[in-house]
Amino acid sequence: MKGSLAVVGIGPGEKRLLTPMGRRVLLQATIVMGYRGYLDQIASLLTKKEVVPFLIGQELERAEKALALASHGQRVALVSSGDAGIYGMASPVLELWLHLPTEQRPSLEIVPGVPAMVACAALLGAPLGNDFAVVSLSDLLTPWEVISRRVEAAAQADFVVVLYNPRSSRRPWQLAEARRLLLRYRPPTTPVGVVRKAYRPGQAVTVTTLGELDERAVDMETTVIVGSSVTWARNGHMVTPRGYRLEALP
Amino acid sequence: MKGSLAVVGIGPGEKRLLTPMGRRVLLQATIVMGYRGYLDQIASLLTKKEVVPFLIGQELERAEKALALASHGQRVALVSSGDAGIYGMASPVLELWLHLPTEQRPSLEIVPGVPAMVACAALLGAPLGNDFAVVSLSDLLTPWEVISRRVEAAAQADFVVVLYNPRSSRRPWQLAEARRLLLRYRPPTTPVGVVRKAYRPGQAVTVTTLGELDERAVDMETTVIVGSSVTWARNGHMVTPRGYRLEALP
């Protein structure tokens, strides 16, 4: 008997930003799997369930295990923080699922969530109000030359740039290098939003500039949003205009 | 007496994708404003409230009116579809709010929501599994030369490309032009996801290719997601790998 697998984005970590659809899938699951830290955030929804925690780095193992259990009749929920489709578990799960013969596939649902960048943007104001590019600075799975080409292209074409996985103890230099690339095309006064632990205990929201960005304050729980040429900041808020002509107002 | 203004993303239009935080803000508001079509989607939450519907195109008027009512003591909720920060009302509201003298500002909160692109991506599978760029093809507020430069830069740097506002009766040619720019850098076999009315009555999800994309099927209620060089499609699903080496699996 085949079961089902739901890949669920739980949002930034505040339960009021977990969608009712995601909540329901979690409550109906027989097994809930995911990175230990994310499972802790939703512990109150997981009583009387089999909970399978994993370590960071075990993404493929998680996807395989979840598919195997679902194939054997379980109702499995696999959680990601933010949205599962954005640097989350949806992609490796779907790759493995599509490689299975059709008759061996359990039913699969991807449940959308509030992405980290959206939560961070809301705390900053409206930095994503116009076109933007999203780049992960982790070169564990993508070569740095590909990443740096994307950062440079985004800078050159005047996108707001969202940097995921900006800095860790194993990857201390990539953020400084991305900043250097951005400074080729944008002035040091360009607003930069730095949000750590959005909507979680210990939340820290900072608006600084490309020239003054202190990389040491950035870690893996931080998202960095670099403004475009028209982004402006005031009173700790960042806004990228959509292009309405405010000066035309009465 | 000053009141409060909350700018709320209601998600793609399915109530199970409206966050509890957004729902609560709507229930506590004395006045709810927004584009008429969005208010219709959440009508059941708006009984016994003052509801102020607007037409498309009246974004600045909406922002001004909402701020004025909040300044006069009302608890106002202003809704956007998807996330209010992504081509939504957060940006014009914040621009006007930051221009007010500090003592005249009502309290302001931006409530994050599930963006259209995230809802569409979940229905397609996992097309946003790696770096992506988001571009609105509407040249009503942004010059076409800026938009086309961004589409071309995103194509060149191998981003997945999300196209918002891809086509309308007033703007029939921009999508074809964007497709032409993308075809300079990507083969006609590149997977393209076309999602209309995600999570709403009349939902339509299609996976096609850059070569075979039928622009006439695309309107303002559609989001188009163009794969990168590594995006692949099978059985009506699209996936952009994160880079895990599946071939290394047992």
Side-chain angles (χ1 to χ4, degrees):
Chain A
M1 192 197 74
K2 273 180 290 181
S4 63
L5 173 56
V7 188
V8 186
I10 60 170
E14 144 74 81
K15 246 172 279 171
R16 290 176 302 149
L17 292 174
L18 166 65
T19 65
M21 194 182 283
R23 186 187 171 88
R24 185 165 181 183
V25 163
L26 291 172
L27 292 174
Q28 290 178 344
T30 52
I31 300 182
V32 180
M33 313 174 66
Y35 166 58
R36 185 183 300 274
Y38 304 154
L39 295 175
D40 289 346
Q41 290 171 10
I42 51 168
S44 63
L45 300 174
L46 306 181
T47 51
K48 297 186 191 163
K49 282 183 198 305
E50 187 175 344
V51 176
V52 185
F54 283 82
L55 300 175
I56 282 284
Q58 296 181 311
E59 286 79 17
L60 270 189
E61 290 83 347
R62 240 176 276 175
E64 285 197 300
K65 181 86 177 170
L67 278 169
L69 289 167
S71 298
H72 287 86
Q74 299 283 353
R75 296 176 69 93
V76 182
L78 176 57
V79 304
S80 278
S81 78
D83 173 60
I86 298 179
Y87 308 116
M89 288 304 302
S91 162
V93 165
L94 201 72
E95 278 201 274
L96 292 173
W97 186 83
L98 287 171
H99 276 106
L100 291 174
T102 316
E103 68 278 7
Q104 286 179 29
R105 293 175 187 163
S107 80
L108 175 64
E109 185 184 19
I110 314 288
V111 179
V114 174
M117 63 178 182
V118 164
C120 295
L123 293 170
L124 288 164
L128 305 181
N130 210 313
D131 305 333
F132 60 94
V134 183
V135 184
S136 165
L137 294 187
S138 171
D139 56 357
L140 300 178
L141 297 171
T142 302
W144 178 251
E145 64 179 35
V146 173
I147 297 170
S148 64
R149 187 161 58 100
R150 286 182 182 147
V151 170
E152 188 155 5
Q156 201 162 7
D158 205 21
F159 280 101
V160 171
V161 184
V162 181
L163 301 174
Y164 270 76
N165 305 316
R167 190 168 180 274
S168 73
S169 49
R170 288 167 70 192
R171 297 182 294 96
W173 57 267
Q174 287 82 350
L175 178 60
E177 182 61 17
R179 177 168 166 262
R180 198 182 62 75
L181 292 171
L182 285 155
L183 279 167
R184 280 198 205 156
Y185 303 92
R186 269 171 231 180
T189 52
T190 303
V192 175
V194 179
V195 182
R196 186 161 184 269
K197 297 194 175 193
Y199 293 96
R200 292 196 296 282
Q203 169 184 300
V205 181
T206 311
V207 175
T208 178
T209 63
L210 207 45
E212 293 184 350
L213 173 63
D214 181 2
E215 286 127 20
R216 291 162 307 177
V218 174
D219 64 11
M220 283 296 279
E221 294 193 89
T222 308
T223 301
V224 176
I225 302 183
V226 180
S228 74
S229 68
V230 299
T231 304
W232 56 284
R234 189 183 290 178
N235 304 132
H237 292 81
M238 255 172 103
V239 56
T240 304
R242 280 188 70 185
Y244 299 110
R245 302 176 74 205
L246 293 179
E247 70 277 17
L249 289 176
Chain B
M1 192 197 76
K2 274 179 289 184
S4 64
L5 173 56
V7 189
V8 186
I10 61 170
E14 144 73 82
K15 245 171 283 173
R16 291 177 301 150
L17 292 174
L18 166 65
T19 65
M21 194 181 283
R23 186 188 173 87
R24 185 165 183 185
V25 163
L26 290 172
L27 291 174
Q28 291 179 342
T30 52
I31 300 182
V32 180
M33 313 175 67
Y35 166 58
R36 185 184 299 275
Y38 305 152
L39 295 175
D40 290 346
Q41 290 171 10
I42 51 168
S44 64
L45 299 175
L46 306 181
T47 51
K48 299 186 192 163
K49 279 183 201 305
E50 187 174 346
V51 176
V52 186
F54 283 82
L55 301 174
I56 281 285
Q58 296 181 312
E59 286 80 17
L60 270 189
E61 291 83 347
R62 239 175 278 173
E64 284 197 301
K65 181 85 175 169
L67 278 169
L69 289 166
S71 298
H72 286 87
Q74 299 283 353
R75 294 175 71 94
V76 182
L78 176 57
V79 304
S80 279
S81 78
D83 173 58
I86 298 180
Y87 307 116
M89 290 304 302
S91 161
V93 165
L94 201 73
E95 277 201 275
L96 291 174
W97 185 82
L98 287 171
H99 276 107
L100 291 174
T102 316
E103 67 278 8
Q104 287 178 28
R105 295 176 185 161
S107 80
L108 175 66
E109 186 184 19
I110 314 288
V111 179
V114 174
M117 62 178 183
V118 165
C120 295
L123 294 170
L124 289 165
L128 303 182
N130 211 312
D131 305 332
F132 60 96
V134 183
V135 184
S136 166
L137 294 187
S138 171
D139 56 358
L140 300 178
L141 297 171
T142 302
W144 178 253
E145 64 178 36
V146 174
I147 298 171
S148 63
R149 187 161 59 101
R150 286 182 183 149
V151 170
E152 188 157 4
Q156 201 163 9
D158 204 21
F159 280 101
V160 171
V161 183
V162 181
L163 301 174
Y164 269 75
N165 306 315
R167 192 169 180 273
S168 73
S169 49
R170 288 168 71 191
R171 297 182 295 97
W173 58 266
Q174 285 82 351
L175 178 59
E177 182 61 17
R179 177 168 165 263
R180 197 181 63 74
L181 292 171
L182 285 154
L183 279 168
R184 280 197 204 157
Y185 303 92
R186 267 169 232 182
T189 51
T190 303
V192 175
V194 179
V195 182
R196 187 160 183 269
K197 295 193 176 193
Y199 293 96
R200 292 195 296 284
Q203 169 184 301
V205 181
T206 311
V207 176
T208 178
T209 64
L210 207 46
E212 292 183 350
L213 173 63
D214 180 3
E215 286 128 20
R216 292 162 305 176
V218 174
D219 64 11
M220 282 296 279
E221 294 194 270
T222 308
T223 301
V224 176
I225 302 183
V226 180
S228 75
S229 68
V230 299
T231 304
W232 56 285
R234 189 183 291 178
N235 304 132
H237 292 81
M238 254 172 104
V239 56
T240 304
R242 280 188 71 185
Y244 298 112
R245 303 176 74 205
L246 292 179
E247 71 275 19
L249 288 175

